[in-house]
Amino acid sequence: MKVLSYRLLVVISFLFALAGISVAQTDSSDSPTANYETITISHGLDDGPLKQRGIIRFDPFQTKKSAQIKYESIITDAEALELVQDDKSKDYRVTFQEGEKGVKARNFERIVPLCQLKAGGFNEQIVLELTTDAKVFHIDYVIQGGNCTNIPKVSKSGAKAKKLFRTTVSLGRLQDGARPLLDTLPELRPDGAPQVQEKSFFAKYWYIILPIVLLSMMGGGGDQQQ
């Protein structure tokens, strides 16, 4: 019985080989490796000089959602204290630079009232809107906001860089819309006639191969029982 089972396994493997069927294996080229894109964040007040305040790294192809986007703040304590103590009538300007400096770099700029940023406790949300092929086409910058006449006081200890901004970063994606069903154009031969797809060896001669395989299995089983 064991010999029969073994022969059956060999026959099944033989049939799969003839049919041209192979076990699907994971190809490294189909699974993009970690390749983080960077967005540099700078900020300033009104039309004053901009200073770098952080870096966003994102890779939407990461399997873990927590690893798809990361934010690193590099704002200094002196800058944090300046924002807290500065005139509330000014505007807070933040820019997002995609890629390295140069021709290919793209800049997104957002301006919000500094008093609203303060009133909202420096809570901010940054959303990178991606196209279906994972390219940034828009960046949303949203603050919690609040009443500019009722701004909570921030102590010097609370004005530390690590405590001041409460930043949340995330990725947003466009959803694929309905796609029309298109007929596949047939491949043509040099004479203009449609190209006929060549059948596999097993598809052509299965009616001959299968009886031979079955007869060999039955004969092998009878020998084993004797």
PDB file of all heavy atoms in Angstrom, residues 134-168:
ATOM      1  N   ALA A 134       1.330  55.684  -5.144  1.00  0.00           N
ATOM      2  CA  ALA A 134       2.092  56.074  -3.953  1.00  0.00           C
ATOM      3  C   ALA A 134       2.931  57.332  -4.151  1.00  0.00           C
ATOM      4  O   ALA A 134       4.007  57.458  -3.585  1.00  0.00           O
ATOM      5  CB  ALA A 134       2.972  54.918  -3.484  1.00  0.00           C
ATOM      6  N   LYS A 135       2.431  58.285  -4.935  1.00  0.00           N
ATOM      7  CA  LYS A 135       3.099  59.574  -5.096  1.00  0.00           C
ATOM      8  C   LYS A 135       2.311  60.641  -4.338  1.00  0.00           C
ATOM      9  O   LYS A 135       1.079  60.655  -4.346  1.00  0.00           O
ATOM     10  CB  LYS A 135       3.194  59.954  -6.578  1.00  0.00           C
ATOM     11  CG  LYS A 135       3.952  58.944  -7.440  1.00  0.00           C
ATOM     12  CD  LYS A 135       5.400  58.826  -7.029  1.00  0.00           C
ATOM     13  CE  LYS A 135       6.147  57.866  -7.938  1.00  0.00           C
ATOM     14  NZ  LYS A 135       7.561  57.688  -7.496  1.00  0.00           N
ATOM     15  N   VAL A 136       3.037  61.560  -3.676  1.00  0.00           N
ATOM     16  CA  VAL A 136       2.388  62.631  -2.920  1.00  0.00           C
ATOM     17  C   VAL A 136       1.819  63.671  -3.883  1.00  0.00           C
ATOM     18  O   VAL A 136       2.524  64.196  -4.734  1.00  0.00           O
ATOM     19  CB  VAL A 136       3.380  63.303  -1.960  1.00  0.00           C
ATOM     20  CG1 VAL A 136       2.711  64.465  -1.231  1.00  0.00           C
ATOM     21  CG2 VAL A 136       3.929  62.303  -0.960  1.00  0.00           C
ATOM     22  N   PHE A 137       0.512  63.942  -3.785  1.00  0.00           N
ATOM     23  CA  PHE A 137      -0.088  64.981  -4.616  1.00  0.00           C
ATOM     24  C   PHE A 137      -0.645  66.119  -3.762  1.00  0.00           C
ATOM     25  O   PHE A 137      -0.967  67.187  -4.294  1.00  0.00           O
ATOM     26  CB  PHE A 137      -1.194  64.392  -5.506  1.00  0.00           C
ATOM     27  CG  PHE A 137      -2.486  64.122  -4.801  1.00  0.00           C
ATOM     28  CD1 PHE A 137      -3.510  65.055  -4.792  1.00  0.00           C
ATOM     29  CD2 PHE A 137      -2.684  62.923  -4.126  1.00  0.00           C
ATOM     30  CE1 PHE A 137      -4.710  64.798  -4.143  1.00  0.00           C
ATOM     31  CE2 PHE A 137      -3.883  62.663  -3.476  1.00  0.00           C
ATOM     32  CZ  PHE A 137      -4.900  63.608  -3.479  1.00  0.00           C
ATOM     33  N   HIS A 138      -0.766  65.914  -2.452  1.00  0.00           N
ATOM     34  CA  HIS A 138      -1.296  66.967  -1.581  1.00  0.00           C
ATOM     35  C   HIS A 138      -0.903  66.666  -0.141  1.00  0.00           C
ATOM     36  O   HIS A 138      -0.761  65.499   0.240  1.00  0.00           O
ATOM     37  CB  HIS A 138      -2.825  67.041  -1.702  1.00  0.00           C
ATOM     38  CG  HIS A 138      -3.438  68.145  -0.908  1.00  0.00           C
ATOM     39  ND1 HIS A 138      -3.349  69.467  -1.272  1.00  0.00           N
ATOM     40  CD2 HIS A 138      -4.147  68.125   0.251  1.00  0.00           C
ATOM     41  CE1 HIS A 138      -3.986  70.212  -0.388  1.00  0.00           C
ATOM     42  NE2 HIS A 138      -4.471  69.423   0.551  1.00  0.00           N
ATOM     43  N   ILE A 139      -0.718  67.724   0.644  1.00  0.00           N
ATOM     44  CA  ILE A 139      -0.404  67.577   2.066  1.00  0.00           C
ATOM     45  C   ILE A 139      -1.389  68.422   2.868  1.00  0.00           C
ATOM     46  O   ILE A 139      -1.504  69.639   2.651  1.00  0.00           O
ATOM     47  CB  ILE A 139       1.043  68.001   2.380  1.00  0.00           C
ATOM     48  CG1 ILE A 139       2.037  67.089   1.661  1.00  0.00           C
ATOM     49  CG2 ILE A 139       1.304  67.949   3.889  1.00  0.00           C
ATOM     50  CD1 ILE A 139       3.494  67.454   1.898  1.00  0.00           C
ATOM     51  N   ASP A 140      -2.099  67.769   3.749  1.00  0.00           N
ATOM     52  CA  ASP A 140      -3.033  68.465   4.635  1.00  0.00           C
ATOM     53  C   ASP A 140      -2.333  68.802   5.946  1.00  0.00           C
ATOM     54  O   ASP A 140      -1.662  67.948   6.538  1.00  0.00           O
ATOM     55  CB  ASP A 140      -4.260  67.592   4.924  1.00  0.00           C
ATOM     56  CG  ASP A 140      -5.180  67.478   3.718  1.00  0.00           C
ATOM     57  OD1 ASP A 140      -5.310  68.468   2.979  1.00  0.00           O
ATOM     58  OD2 ASP A 140      -5.750  66.394   3.512  1.00  0.00           O
ATOM     59  N   TYR A 141      -2.516  70.050   6.389  1.00  0.00           N
ATOM     60  CA  TYR A 141      -1.991  70.475   7.688  1.00  0.00           C
ATOM     61  C   TYR A 141      -3.159  71.043   8.484  1.00  0.00           C
ATOM     62  O   TYR A 141      -3.731  72.080   8.121  1.00  0.00           O
ATOM     63  CB  TYR A 141      -0.890  71.517   7.519  1.00  0.00           C
ATOM     64  CG  TYR A 141      -0.328  72.020   8.832  1.00  0.00           C
ATOM     65  CD1 TYR A 141       0.508  71.221   9.601  1.00  0.00           C
ATOM     66  CD2 TYR A 141      -0.650  73.296   9.311  1.00  0.00           C
ATOM     67  CE1 TYR A 141       1.014  71.674  10.811  1.00  0.00           C
ATOM     68  CE2 TYR A 141      -0.146  73.756  10.514  1.00  0.00           C
ATOM     69  CZ  TYR A 141       0.685  72.933  11.258  1.00  0.00           C
ATOM     70  OH  TYR A 141       1.180  73.388  12.462  1.00  0.00           O
ATOM     71  N   VAL A 142      -3.546  70.357   9.522  1.00  0.00           N
ATOM     72  CA  VAL A 142      -4.733  70.721  10.296  1.00  0.00           C
ATOM     73  C   VAL A 142      -4.332  70.932  11.749  1.00  0.00           C
ATOM     74  O   VAL A 142      -3.615  70.110  12.335  1.00  0.00           O
ATOM     75  CB  VAL A 142      -5.821  69.632  10.202  1.00  0.00           C
ATOM     76  CG1 VAL A 142      -7.064  70.059  10.975  1.00  0.00           C
ATOM     77  CG2 VAL A 142      -6.163  69.336   8.752  1.00  0.00           C
ATOM     78  N   ILE A 143      -4.795  72.033  12.333  1.00  0.00           N
ATOM     79  CA  ILE A 143      -4.546  72.288  13.752  1.00  0.00           C
ATOM     80  C   ILE A 143      -5.868  72.182  14.507  1.00  0.00           C
ATOM     81  O   ILE A 143      -6.947  72.303  13.919  1.00  0.00           O
ATOM     82  CB  ILE A 143      -3.904  73.670  13.978  1.00  0.00           C
ATOM     83  CG1 ILE A 143      -4.848  74.779  13.480  1.00  0.00           C
ATOM     84  CG2 ILE A 143      -2.553  73.754  13.293  1.00  0.00           C
ATOM     85  CD1 ILE A 143      -4.351  76.185  13.795  1.00  0.00           C
ATOM     86  N   GLN A 144      -5.768  71.964  15.793  1.00  0.00           N
ATOM     87  CA  GLN A 144      -6.974  71.838  16.604  1.00  0.00           C
ATOM     88  C   GLN A 144      -7.708  73.167  16.679  1.00  0.00           C
ATOM     89  O   GLN A 144      -8.943  73.220  16.691  1.00  0.00           O
ATOM     90  CB  GLN A 144      -6.614  71.344  18.001  1.00  0.00           C
ATOM     91  CG  GLN A 144      -7.818  71.144  18.908  1.00  0.00           C
ATOM     92  CD  GLN A 144      -7.424  70.499  20.211  1.00  0.00           C
ATOM     93  OE1 GLN A 144      -6.569  69.608  20.252  1.00  0.00           O
ATOM     94  NE2 GLN A 144      -8.033  70.945  21.302  1.00  0.00           N
ATOM     95  N   GLY A 145      -6.961  74.247  16.699  1.00  0.00           N
ATOM     96  CA  GLY A 145      -7.567  75.581  16.714  1.00  0.00           C
ATOM     97  C   GLY A 145      -8.189  75.917  18.057  1.00  0.00           C
ATOM     98  O   GLY A 145      -8.182  75.127  19.003  1.00  0.00           O
ATOM     99  N   GLY A 146      -8.702  77.106  18.154  1.00  0.00           N
ATOM    100  CA  GLY A 146      -9.315  77.551  19.400  1.00  0.00           C
ATOM    101  C   GLY A 146      -9.565  79.042  19.362  1.00  0.00           C
ATOM    102  O   GLY A 146      -9.318  79.729  18.372  1.00  0.00           O
ATOM    103  N   ASN A 147     -10.062  79.546  20.459  1.00  0.00           N
ATOM    104  CA  ASN A 147     -10.377  80.963  20.589  1.00  0.00           C
ATOM    105  C   ASN A 147      -9.108  81.750  20.879  1.00  0.00           C
ATOM    106  O   ASN A 147      -8.420  81.506  21.877  1.00  0.00           O
ATOM    107  CB  ASN A 147     -11.395  81.172  21.717  1.00  0.00           C
ATOM    108  CG  ASN A 147     -11.941  82.583  21.740  1.00  0.00           C
ATOM    109  OD1 ASN A 147     -11.412  83.490  21.111  1.00  0.00           O
ATOM    110  ND2 ASN A 147     -13.035  82.766  22.467  1.00  0.00           N
ATOM    111  N   CYS A 148      -8.787  82.694  20.007  1.00  0.00           N
ATOM    112  CA  CYS A 148      -7.545  83.457  20.170  1.00  0.00           C
ATOM    113  C   CYS A 148      -7.574  84.387  21.380  1.00  0.00           C
ATOM    114  O   CYS A 148      -6.532  84.927  21.779  1.00  0.00           O
ATOM    115  CB  CYS A 148      -7.267  84.274  18.911  1.00  0.00           C
ATOM    116  SG  CYS A 148      -6.766  83.268  17.494  1.00  0.00           S
ATOM    117  N   THR A 149      -8.740  84.602  21.951  1.00  0.00           N
ATOM    118  CA  THR A 149      -8.829  85.459  23.136  1.00  0.00           C
ATOM    119  C   THR A 149      -8.626  84.667  24.422  1.00  0.00           C
ATOM    120  O   THR A 149      -8.583  85.256  25.505  1.00  0.00           O
ATOM    121  CB  THR A 149     -10.201  86.160  23.189  1.00  0.00           C
ATOM    122  OG1 THR A 149     -11.235  85.176  23.253  1.00  0.00           O
ATOM    123  CG2 THR A 149     -10.403  87.034  21.958  1.00  0.00           C
ATOM    124  N   ASN A 150      -8.546  83.367  24.304  1.00  0.00           N
ATOM    125  CA  ASN A 150      -8.388  82.521  25.489  1.00  0.00           C
ATOM    126  C   ASN A 150      -7.273  81.510  25.242  1.00  0.00           C
ATOM    127  O   ASN A 150      -7.503  80.325  25.041  1.00  0.00           O
ATOM    128  CB  ASN A 150      -9.701  81.815  25.805  1.00  0.00           C
ATOM    129  CG  ASN A 150      -9.646  81.036  27.109  1.00  0.00           C
ATOM    130  OD1 ASN A 150      -8.800  81.315  27.976  1.00  0.00           O
ATOM    131  ND2 ASN A 150     -10.518  80.058  27.261  1.00  0.00           N
ATOM    132  N   ILE A 151      -6.057  82.016  25.253  1.00  0.00           N
ATOM    133  CA  ILE A 151      -4.888  81.175  24.983  1.00  0.00           C
ATOM    134  C   ILE A 151      -4.296  80.713  26.317  1.00  0.00           C
ATOM    135  O   ILE A 151      -3.933  81.537  27.163  1.00  0.00           O
ATOM    136  CB  ILE A 151      -3.832  81.940  24.176  1.00  0.00           C
ATOM    137  CG1 ILE A 151      -4.419  82.368  22.824  1.00  0.00           C
ATOM    138  CG2 ILE A 151      -2.587  81.091  23.973  1.00  0.00           C
ATOM    139  CD1 ILE A 151      -3.471  83.191  21.993  1.00  0.00           C
ATOM    140  N   PRO A 152      -4.195  79.421  26.537  1.00  0.00           N
ATOM    141  CA  PRO A 152      -3.618  78.935  27.795  1.00  0.00           C
ATOM    142  C   PRO A 152      -2.139  79.290  27.890  1.00  0.00           C
ATOM    143  O   PRO A 152      -1.417  79.287  26.891  1.00  0.00           O
ATOM    144  CB  PRO A 152      -3.833  77.422  27.718  1.00  0.00           C
ATOM    145  CG  PRO A 152      -3.933  77.120  26.261  1.00  0.00           C
ATOM    146  CD  PRO A 152      -4.588  78.317  25.652  1.00  0.00           C
ATOM    147  N   LYS A 153      -1.718  79.603  29.087  1.00  0.00           N
ATOM    148  CA  LYS A 153      -0.313  79.938  29.295  1.00  0.00           C
ATOM    149  C   LYS A 153       0.529  78.677  29.323  1.00  0.00           C
ATOM    150  O   LYS A 153       0.097  77.640  29.841  1.00  0.00           O
ATOM    151  CB  LYS A 153      -0.143  80.714  30.602  1.00  0.00           C
ATOM    152  CG  LYS A 153      -0.802  82.096  30.596  1.00  0.00           C
ATOM    153  CD  LYS A 153      -0.524  82.833  31.896  1.00  0.00           C
ATOM    154  CE  LYS A 153      -1.149  84.220  31.880  1.00  0.00           C
ATOM    155  NZ  LYS A 153      -0.894  84.976  33.155  1.00  0.00           N
ATOM    156  N   VAL A 154       1.714  78.790  28.760  1.00  0.00           N
ATOM    157  CA  VAL A 154       2.644  77.659  28.717  1.00  0.00           C
ATOM    158  C   VAL A 154       3.879  78.043  29.523  1.00  0.00           C
ATOM    159  O   VAL A 154       4.498  79.087  29.292  1.00  0.00           O
ATOM    160  CB  VAL A 154       3.051  77.317  27.269  1.00  0.00           C
ATOM    161  CG1 VAL A 154       4.027  76.139  27.246  1.00  0.00           C
ATOM    162  CG2 VAL A 154       1.820  77.007  26.439  1.00  0.00           C
ATOM    163  N   SER A 155       4.221  77.202  30.472  1.00  0.00           N
ATOM    164  CA  SER A 155       5.390  77.481  31.297  1.00  0.00           C
ATOM    165  C   SER A 155       6.664  77.238  30.502  1.00  0.00           C
ATOM    166  O   SER A 155       6.648  76.635  29.420  1.00  0.00           O
ATOM    167  CB  SER A 155       5.378  76.590  32.547  1.00  0.00           C
ATOM    168  OG  SER A 155       5.442  75.218  32.163  1.00  0.00           O
ATOM    169  N   LYS A 156       7.779  77.687  31.049  1.00  0.00           N
ATOM    170  CA  LYS A 156       9.057  77.473  30.369  1.00  0.00           C
ATOM    171  C   LYS A 156       9.376  75.991  30.244  1.00  0.00           C
ATOM    172  O   LYS A 156       9.951  75.548  29.269  1.00  0.00           O
ATOM    173  CB  LYS A 156      10.176  78.211  31.109  1.00  0.00           C
ATOM    174  CG  LYS A 156      10.126  79.723  30.960  1.00  0.00           C
ATOM    175  CD  LYS A 156      11.361  80.365  31.571  1.00  0.00           C
ATOM    176  CE  LYS A 156      11.348  81.871  31.349  1.00  0.00           C
ATOM    177  NZ  LYS A 156      12.561  82.531  31.924  1.00  0.00           N
ATOM    178  N   SER A 157       8.990  75.218  31.252  1.00  0.00           N
ATOM    179  CA  SER A 157       9.242  73.777  31.171  1.00  0.00           C
ATOM    180  C   SER A 157       8.362  73.127  30.104  1.00  0.00           C
ATOM    181  O   SER A 157       8.763  72.175  29.431  1.00  0.00           O
ATOM    182  CB  SER A 157       8.972  73.114  32.532  1.00  0.00           C
ATOM    183  OG  SER A 157       7.615  73.311  32.924  1.00  0.00           O
ATOM    184  N   GLY A 158       7.153  73.668  29.913  1.00  0.00           N
ATOM    185  CA  GLY A 158       6.263  73.135  28.882  1.00  0.00           C
ATOM    186  C   GLY A 158       6.634  73.587  27.492  1.00  0.00           C
ATOM    187  O   GLY A 158       6.141  73.046  26.504  1.00  0.00           O
ATOM    188  N   ALA A 159       7.486  74.593  27.409  1.00  0.00           N
ATOM    189  CA  ALA A 159       7.917  75.104  26.105  1.00  0.00           C
ATOM    190  C   ALA A 159       9.116  74.354  25.567  1.00  0.00           C
ATOM    191  O   ALA A 159       9.707  74.766  24.577  1.00  0.00           O
ATOM    192  CB  ALA A 159       8.249  76.594  26.225  1.00  0.00           C
ATOM    193  N   LYS A 160       9.474  73.261  26.200  1.00  0.00           N
ATOM    194  CA  LYS A 160      10.561  72.443  25.684  1.00  0.00           C
ATOM    195  C   LYS A 160      10.159  71.843  24.335  1.00  0.00           C
ATOM    196  O   LYS A 160       8.992  71.558  24.089  1.00  0.00           O
ATOM    197  CB  LYS A 160      10.917  71.330  26.660  1.00  0.00           C
ATOM    198  CG  LYS A 160      11.430  71.817  28.023  1.00  0.00           C
ATOM    199  CD  LYS A 160      12.763  72.532  27.872  1.00  0.00           C
ATOM    200  CE  LYS A 160      13.310  72.953  29.246  1.00  0.00           C
ATOM    201  NZ  LYS A 160      14.592  73.676  29.144  1.00  0.00           N
ATOM    202  N   ALA A 161      11.145  71.648  23.487  1.00  0.00           N
ATOM    203  CA  ALA A 161      10.866  71.192  22.125  1.00  0.00           C
ATOM    204  C   ALA A 161      10.097  69.873  22.093  1.00  0.00           C
ATOM    205  O   ALA A 161       9.189  69.687  21.288  1.00  0.00           O
ATOM    206  CB  ALA A 161      12.177  71.066  21.348  1.00  0.00           C
ATOM    207  N   LYS A 162      10.450  68.962  22.984  1.00  0.00           N
ATOM    208  CA  LYS A 162       9.825  67.639  22.964  1.00  0.00           C
ATOM    209  C   LYS A 162       8.399  67.655  23.495  1.00  0.00           C
ATOM    210  O   LYS A 162       7.643  66.715  23.281  1.00  0.00           O
ATOM    211  CB  LYS A 162      10.678  66.659  23.774  1.00  0.00           C
ATOM    212  CG  LYS A 162      12.038  66.368  23.153  1.00  0.00           C
ATOM    213  CD  LYS A 162      12.807  65.340  23.968  1.00  0.00           C
ATOM    214  CE  LYS A 162      14.155  65.023  23.332  1.00  0.00           C
ATOM    215  NZ  LYS A 162      14.914  64.013  24.122  1.00  0.00           N
ATOM    216  N   LYS A 163       8.017  68.713  24.212  1.00  0.00           N
ATOM    217  CA  LYS A 163       6.695  68.770  24.820  1.00  0.00           C
ATOM    218  C   LYS A 163       5.737  69.722  24.107  1.00  0.00           C
ATOM    219  O   LYS A 163       4.527  69.614  24.278  1.00  0.00           O
ATOM    220  CB  LYS A 163       6.811  69.205  26.288  1.00  0.00           C
ATOM    221  CG  LYS A 163       7.590  68.238  27.171  1.00  0.00           C
ATOM    222  CD  LYS A 163       7.633  68.753  28.605  1.00  0.00           C
ATOM    223  CE  LYS A 163       8.382  67.806  29.510  1.00  0.00           C
ATOM    224  NZ  LYS A 163       8.426  68.300  30.916  1.00  0.00           N
ATOM    225  N   LEU A 164       6.274  70.641  23.309  1.00  0.00           N
ATOM    226  CA  LEU A 164       5.434  71.700  22.761  1.00  0.00           C
ATOM    227  C   LEU A 164       4.472  71.181  21.691  1.00  0.00           C
ATOM    228  O   LEU A 164       3.258  71.210  21.874  1.00  0.00           O
ATOM    229  CB  LEU A 164       6.307  72.816  22.188  1.00  0.00           C
ATOM    230  CG  LEU A 164       5.538  74.037  21.670  1.00  0.00           C
ATOM    231  CD1 LEU A 164       4.760  74.696  22.791  1.00  0.00           C
ATOM    232  CD2 LEU A 164       6.496  75.046  21.030  1.00  0.00           C
ATOM    233  N   PHE A 165       4.993  70.704  20.590  1.00  0.00           N
ATOM    234  CA  PHE A 165       4.142  70.238  19.499  1.00  0.00           C
ATOM    235  C   PHE A 165       3.635  68.824  19.775  1.00  0.00           C
ATOM    236  O   PHE A 165       4.377  67.946  20.200  1.00  0.00           O
ATOM    237  CB  PHE A 165       4.918  70.247  18.169  1.00  0.00           C
ATOM    238  CG  PHE A 165       5.006  71.606  17.536  1.00  0.00           C
ATOM    239  CD1 PHE A 165       6.121  72.403  17.746  1.00  0.00           C
ATOM    240  CD2 PHE A 165       3.986  72.085  16.738  1.00  0.00           C
ATOM    241  CE1 PHE A 165       6.208  73.656  17.168  1.00  0.00           C
ATOM    242  CE2 PHE A 165       4.066  73.342  16.158  1.00  0.00           C
ATOM    243  CZ  PHE A 165       5.185  74.132  16.371  1.00  0.00           C
ATOM    244  N   ARG A 166       2.365  68.631  19.524  1.00  0.00           N
ATOM    245  CA  ARG A 166       1.740  67.303  19.592  1.00  0.00           C
ATOM    246  C   ARG A 166       1.341  66.940  18.160  1.00  0.00           C
ATOM    247  O   ARG A 166       0.257  67.265  17.702  1.00  0.00           O
ATOM    248  CB  ARG A 166       0.538  67.313  20.531  1.00  0.00           C
ATOM    249  CG  ARG A 166       0.910  67.647  21.975  1.00  0.00           C
ATOM    250  CD  ARG A 166      -0.341  67.778  22.846  1.00  0.00           C
ATOM    251  NE  ARG A 166       0.004  67.997  24.248  1.00  0.00           N
ATOM    252  CZ  ARG A 166       0.214  69.191  24.779  1.00  0.00           C
ATOM    253  NH1 ARG A 166       0.121  70.266  24.019  1.00  0.00           N
ATOM    254  NH2 ARG A 166       0.534  69.320  26.055  1.00  0.00           N
ATOM    255  N   THR A 167       2.274  66.270  17.495  1.00  0.00           N
ATOM    256  CA  THR A 167       2.153  66.040  16.053  1.00  0.00           C
ATOM    257  C   THR A 167       1.681  64.624  15.752  1.00  0.00           C
ATOM    258  O   THR A 167       2.205  63.655  16.304  1.00  0.00           O
ATOM    259  CB  THR A 167       3.510  66.283  15.357  1.00  0.00           C
ATOM    260  OG1 THR A 167       3.989  67.589  15.700  1.00  0.00           O
ATOM    261  CG2 THR A 167       3.374  66.173  13.853  1.00  0.00           C
ATOM    262  N   THR A 168       0.706  64.530  14.868  1.00  0.00           N
ATOM    263  CA  THR A 168       0.222  63.245  14.358  1.00  0.00           C
ATOM    264  C   THR A 168       0.405  63.222  12.845  1.00  0.00           C
ATOM    265  O   THR A 168      -0.022  64.149  12.155  1.00  0.00           O
ATOM    266  CB  THR A 168      -1.267  63.021  14.682  1.00  0.00           C
ATOM    267  OG1 THR A 168      -1.454  63.107  16.095  1.00  0.00           O
ATOM    268  CG2 THR A 168      -1.729  61.657  14.202  1.00  0.00           C
TER     269      THR A 168
END
